Amino acid sequence: VNVGLVGAGPGDPGLITVRGLELLRACDVLVHDRLVAPELLDEAPPHAVRVSREGLSQESVNDLLVDYARLRQRVVRLKGGDPFLFGRGGEEALALARAGIPFEVVPGVSALTAVPAAAGIPITHRRLAAQITVVAGRTEHADFDADWHAIADQPGTLVVFMGLARLGEITAALLEAGKDPDTPAAVIARGTRPDQHVVRAPLRSIAQRAERLPPPALLVVGHVVSLSEILDAPRPAAAAHR
Ligand SMILES: C[S@@+](CC[C@H](N)C(=O)[O-])C[C@H]1O[C@@H](n2cnc3c(N)ncnc32)[C@H](O)[C@@H]1O
């Protein structure tokens, strides 16, 4: 394997996988997302070349991976969460496959489950949700924009990625489509990190309450959110653990 497309997990450096850490500790080149925990960057060997993806086009990142792999360097592409969930890992895998370069995809702990969990929200709690709808709140092509009317009709839990900048628009579209304004909702910013912030409010007021939160943030809508009143309460055992 010349290239590892490795999921770094949602923020807490302890949430990378054993396989991911193994590849990271053995790499010559590390190409990483901006928001990957600094502790993980330190896990690469001292000689490793570190390149931030920030400011580079997707094509440049693809070329970088292919070029370093052709120089027989062991490359790790370290990506937030899971590489294939709203992470463009598929585009990088396609570029490597087309160039005939062997690669391995190392799944990561996605924000999808880990970030609600860190706020005390079990997203498919039995009897409250038997379905999850996962949506990108922002896309680069209008063709792929979510159909909020269709989404508002779905039962279960709604999880919106990349929606912080459009929270007002998104919740207004859901309410207009008939979603109950009293549905419990939460925005979790910087989930699993020491500076995690959680705002809970009914759908009708969540956008206003959460508008000042810093990115990255996840919007969760559904009855499972109400469990966080119990599960997100400070617990002596958890406090002792830290
Ligand atoms: C480009 S997507 C990448 C998702 C990633 N591949 C994953 O599996 O979690 C970035 C979005 O993920 C969500 N996100 C990622 N990390 C997060 C965190 N620690 N707390 C809250 N939301 C997060 C935010 O909605 C953010 O805008």
Side-chain angles (χ1 to χ4, degrees), residues 10 80-82 85-87 110-111 115 161-162 188-191 193 216-218:
D82 180 88
L85 197 94
F86 295 137
S110 176
V115 166
F161 281 69
M162 297 171 282
I188 306 131
R190 300 181 176 266
R193 300 167 199 232
L218 212 61

Side-chain angles (χ1 to χ4, degrees), residues 147-165:
D147 176 349
W148 296 104
H149 270 77
I151 289 164
D153 283 342
Q154 299 298 316
T157 306
L158 168 63
V159 181
V160 183
F161 281 69
M162 297 171 282
L164 190 63

Side-chain angles (χ1 to χ4, degrees), residues 40-211:
L40 288 180
L41 305 186
D42 291 343
E43 291 287 345
H47 79 268
V49 176
R50 289 159 172 79
V51 185
S52 169
R53 184 240 187 278
E54 201 180 0
L56 299 178
S57 67
Q58 187 60 52
E59 288 67 33
S60 314
V61 175
N62 296 352
D63 290 347
L64 210 60
L65 301 180
V66 169
D67 292 347
Y68 273 119
R70 285 196 170 133
L71 291 171
R72 299 188 169 278
Q73 302 290 293
R74 285 166 298 184
V75 183
V76 162
R77 170 72 178 102
L78 191 61
K79 303 173 69 69
D82 180 88
F84 279 0
L85 197 94
F86 295 137
R88 296 195 174 199
E91 292 168 47
E92 291 163 9
L94 280 172
L96 294 164
R98 287 182 180 133
I101 289 164
F103 65 92
E104 175 180 342
V105 180
V106 182
V109 173
S110 176
L112 171 62
T113 52
V115 166
I121 304 171
I123 54 174
T124 60
H125 194 73
R126 194 156 61 101
R127 301 208 177 96
L128 291 184
Q131 179 180 320
I132 312 166
T133 305
V134 184
V135 185
R138 169 174 51 78
T139 57
E140 274 177 25
H141 304 283
D143 291 358
F144 295 111
D145 270 353
D147 176 349
W148 296 104
H149 270 77
I151 289 164
D153 283 342
Q154 299 298 316
T157 306
L158 168 63
V159 181
V160 183
F161 281 69
M162 297 171 282
L164 190 63
R166 290 181 61 198
L167 269 187
E169 241 178 284
I170 290 168
T171 54
L174 290 169
L175 292 169
E176 192 191 315
K179 192 100 184 154
D180 182 352
D182 288 327
T183 312
V187 175
I188 306 131
R190 300 181 176 266
T192 80
R193 300 167 199 232
D195 56 348
Q196 169 172 307
H197 281 284
V198 184
V199 170
R200 275 185 297 261
L203 182 60
R204 74 160 87 78
S205 54
I206 188 71
Q208 197 196 351
R209 295 277 316 283
E211 66 186 357

